[in-house]
Amino acid sequence: MKRTDGKHMKVLVSDTLAQEGLDILNAAKGLEVDYKPGLSEDELCGAVADAEALIIRSGTTVTARVLDAAKSLKWIGRAGIGVDNVDVPAASKSGVIVSNTPTGNMVTTAEHAISLMCALTRQIPQATASMKAGKWEKKIFKGRELFNKNLGVVGLGNIGKIVADRAQGLKMKILGYDPFVSKEKAASLGIELVDLDELCKRADFITVHTPLNDATRGIVGKKAFSLMKKGVLLIQASRGGVVDEDALLEALNNGTVAGAALDVFVQEPTAADHPLVGHPNVICTPHLGAATFEAQLNVAVQVAEQCVDYLVNGEIRNAVNIPAVPAEQVEQLQPYLTLAEKLGLFHAQLRPEGFDHVEIEFMGDVAGMETRPVVLAALKGLLSPSKGNAALVNYVNAPVIAAEQGITVRESSTKETHDYTSHIRIRTRCKDGKEYSVEGAVFNVNDQRIVSVDGYRVEVIPNGTLLALKNEDLPGVVGGIGCLLAEENVNIASMQMGRDVPGGTAIAFLSIDAEASPETLKKLEAVKHVLRVKQITL
């Protein structure tokens, strides 16, 4: 990816970043690094105005206002896991990719949760404070063993699974809740998968490891606390807001929760008089889950490498607002991404009337792959002509634009196929109720073809400039078209034709060396028996 004006692409880093990460950015050709940690929102709006990339940690909040000011922004990189400090829907609407570093600090965060659990059950912080005050209160700091206790893990993502693994080393019994994990997968990890209610009823310790979103906000709340064993111990090292703080305070005060270890809060930094921070049965740390030398180095290096991969090489990794493609399918899927976008672009120029429904059908081998990115590629092609500039539509904002235009999108797949081992069909329904289709197939990695247009069988290479004609299937029509183009000094590179029945209607696609002028197109439309002419650029 390069700027068209030849200038270096600006990368704004608005939070502190390990020097190793900055070194990677500074060494990349074509990038200009602007390192300005600690900006206010007003300052951030000014600094990001001409930046192509923005790298942040938890200290920067990327609001819709910031995104509106970022006229050139293409990519936001979060050095860490959580992206709740980024307005992801607003970024998607603006076509900005949001990436995180999901593996850089997962071990560190999991270890912190285990440390909090150990410190909580043995009251280590309280005992330390007592000794530092000159006391020797051995009898009042009686703890509990972890051995043979039930640990309930809420959220079995990367961090939750590591916590479960480490806790098994302490000979704890693991109960897990995660609606996206199968019982078979959990069992293979030594975890008994249960629903949240059962976990609350049976667990002696509960640790929370979910992202913060609409589904998880307050997931450990009044109902959950009402089901817990009296004297349960809670560890919260995920995201502030996943645990309802008011409900937790009530559960601490009534004795349901004997103690809590908290690393995250709804408001950070916390107020000096925060009731949970001051509670005698709470130990707490100031969001230290990822605060190790190793983790900070890991996330800095990862986010810097991802930034270079995208801006310099056009490779997207760990995007949270674009579907992920399994590593083993990336190479296989690439020709289908190319084909789908070309099919969409072709179809939109051939049928510029507008449509309110689109269906993308996958047939054959491609149906067994991760097809969601291919759907996005098709939408990008379909919507680009309507925006007047293909650069305004990308994989990120294509679904948003479709929704804003009232277009419903449907996807279907079948392993069954007839003429080709793998192909894609795009069907659209226009606002007048008419339906149209275009179909393409992958012959090999570098050879994709359009094989059907509205039911007409063809074999068109989707590249360059095409003249699409519909005419009555009569002798001399094609000859007349060829003669006129020769007179207009338009050279035909290749021609593909199809028809419904002899003497009915036919279509022709002429690949030409350069775009035909509007005057030439009008002359073509005037040729006897020619019904329609469209010029398509791919």
Side-chain angles (χ1 to χ4, degrees):
M1 184 181 299
K2 295 181 180 179
R3 287 179 59 131
T4 56
D5 59 8
K7 295 182 180 178
H8 285 184
M9 291 178 284
K10 177 178 171 180
V11 179
L12 174 63
V13 182
S14 62
D15 283 316
T16 56
L17 197 71
Q19 187 61 46
E20 289 83 351
L22 295 173
D23 290 344
I24 291 170
L25 295 171
N26 285 315
K29 292 183 179 180
L31 301 188
E32 173 192 334
V33 181
D34 190 10
Y35 186 46
K36 291 183 177 178
L39 297 175
S40 67
E41 185 177 39
D42 287 342
E43 292 169 332
L44 180 61
C45 287
V48 80
D50 60 345
E52 275 80 12
L54 171 64
I55 292 178
I56 64 170
R57 288 177 57 198
S58 59
T60 296
T61 299
V62 183
T63 62
R65 179 182 171 221
V66 171
L67 288 160
D68 187 56
K71 302 302 182 183
S72 302
L73 195 63
K74 301 177 180 66
W75 182 86
I76 297 171
R78 165 70 161 93
I81 297 175
V83 292
D84 44 293
N85 55 328
V86 179
D87 189 334
V88 177
S92 297
K93 187 173 181 179
S94 299
V96 177
I97 297 166
V98 180
S99 294
N100 64 354
T101 56
T103 61
N105 55 18
M106 61 186 186
V107 170
T108 287
T109 304
E111 287 182 353
H112 192 62
I114 293 290
S115 300
L116 287 172
M117 181 172 65
C118 293
L120 179 65
T121 194
R122 297 307 299 267
Q123 302 181 71
I124 292 172
Q126 295 94 325
T128 300
S130 173
M131 284 196 68
K132 287 181 179 292
K135 301 176 183 178
W136 187 267
E137 300 176 301
K138 184 175 180 178
K139 292 183 179 180
I140 70 171
F141 295 119
K142 189 175 291 184
R144 307 184 194 178
E145 288 187 356
L146 300 176
F147 172 71
N148 214 29
K149 297 296 195 304
N150 287 334
L151 172 63
V153 182
V154 180
L156 296 173
N158 290 329
I159 295 172
K161 285 186 286 190
I162 295 172
V163 168
D165 175 72
R166 303 301 192 265
Q168 288 175 59
L170 296 168
K171 304 303 180 184
M172 300 184 80
K173 299 175 182 178
I174 312 301
L175 308 173
Y177 167 71
D178 193 316
F180 302 104
V181 174
S182 68
K183 284 195 173 185
E184 294 76 15
K185 178 62 176 176
S188 73
L189 299 171
I191 301 170
E192 181 185 352
L193 195 69
V194 297
D195 62 30
L196 184 59
D197 288 357
E198 185 176 353
L199 183 149
C200 291
K201 291 174 183 177
R202 293 172 55 190
D204 302 299
F205 296 79
I206 295 175
T207 182
V208 186
H209 301 285
T210 74
L212 178 65
N213 53 44
D214 291 340
T216 64
R217 193 180 305 276
I219 191 173
V220 182
K222 280 191 174 183
K223 179 186 176 184
F225 287 117
S226 71
L227 297 172
M228 292 180 191
K229 289 182 178 182
K230 190 173 181 65
V232 69
L233 296 177
L234 177 75
I235 300 92
Q236 155 65 321
S238 59
R239 309 301 293 179
V242 173
V243 173
D244 184 322
E245 293 183 355
D246 291 336
L248 172 58
L249 182 62
E250 181 181 342
L252 283 162
N253 289 335
N254 66 28
T256 298
V257 176
L262 310 177
D263 184 51
V264 293
F265 299 85
V266 173
Q267 294 294 329
E268 296 180 358
T270 57
D273 60 349
H274 194 295
L276 287 175
V277 173
H279 199 284
N281 295 333
V282 172
I283 67 172
C284 46
T285 49
H287 206 145
L288 298 181
T292 63
F293 293 109
E294 295 87 349
Q296 294 309 304
L297 175 60
N298 290 341
V299 297
V301 169
Q302 286 183 16
V303 78
E305 289 176 342
Q306 288 173 198
C307 181
V308 174
D309 282 344
Y310 179 65
L311 291 183
V312 178
N313 304 318
E315 299 175 8
I316 301 171
R317 290 194 287 132
N318 297 321
V320 301
N321 55 347
I322 299 179
V325 179
E328 66 274 12
Q329 291 188 12
V330 171
E331 189 172 341
Q332 288 178 296
L333 210 56
Q334 187 56 55
Y336 296 100
L337 294 169
T338 302
L339 175 63
E341 184 171 344
K342 291 290 184 72
L343 289 176
L345 196 57
F346 174 93
H347 190 64
Q349 293 177 80
L350 186 64
R351 301 291 183 186
E353 299 90 347
F355 54 91
D356 57 15
H357 178 83
V358 58
E359 179 177 2
I360 297 106
E361 301 173 81
F362 299 97
M363 294 159 280
D365 294 343
V366 68
M369 301 180 192
E370 173 52 65
T371 55
R372 183 58 185 165
V374 187
V375 171
L376 298 180
L379 286 177
K380 180 179 184 298
L382 282 165
L383 297 169
S384 291
S386 69
K387 300 297 288 185
N389 182 350
L392 297 177
V393 183
N394 59 28
Y395 284 20
V396 180
N397 63 11
V400 179
I401 295 170
E404 288 178 343
Q405 295 183 3
I407 299 169
T408 59
V409 181
R410 183 171 178 267
E411 175 187 353
S412 63
S413 297
T414 177
K415 286 283 191 176
E416 295 181 6
T417 185
H418 300 289
D419 300 319
Y420 307 96
T421 58
S422 200
H423 51 130
I424 302 169
R425 181 187 296 129
I426 297 177
R427 298 180 187 271
T428 60
R429 184 184 64 223
C430 293
K431 295 176 182 178
D432 61 4
K434 294 180 181 178
E435 296 187 355
Y436 303 99
S437 68
V438 59
E439 186 174 332
V442 172
F443 287 16
N444 58 55
V445 173
N446 297 312
D447 189 3
Q448 300 94 34
R449 308 284 179 90
I450 297 170
V451 296
S452 176
V453 179
D454 296 332
Y456 291 88
R457 297 292 295 271
V458 293
E459 194 172 301
V460 178
I461 298 174
N463 286 318
T465 302
L466 300 173
L467 289 177
L469 299 98
K470 188 172 185 179
N471 56 276
E472 297 175 15
D473 186 32
L474 296 171
V477 177
V478 174
I481 293 169
C483 289
L484 188 148
L485 290 175
E487 292 172 2
E488 295 292 313
N489 199 32
V490 175
N491 193 46
I492 301 172
S494 64
M495 177 185 292
Q496 292 289 326
M497 302 177 64
R499 63 181 182 178
D500 47 12
V501 294
T505 56
I507 59 173
F509 296 96
L510 287 67
S511 176
I512 56 178
D513 291 343
E515 287 190 9
S517 67
E519 292 75 18
T520 299
L521 297 179
K522 287 181 181 180
K523 292 178 182 179
L524 281 172
E525 290 172 346
V527 172
K528 191 174 182 180
H529 303 301
V530 170
L531 305 175
R532 185 186 67 207
V533 177
K534 295 287 183 184
Q535 184 162 239
I536 297 171
T537 302
L538 299 172

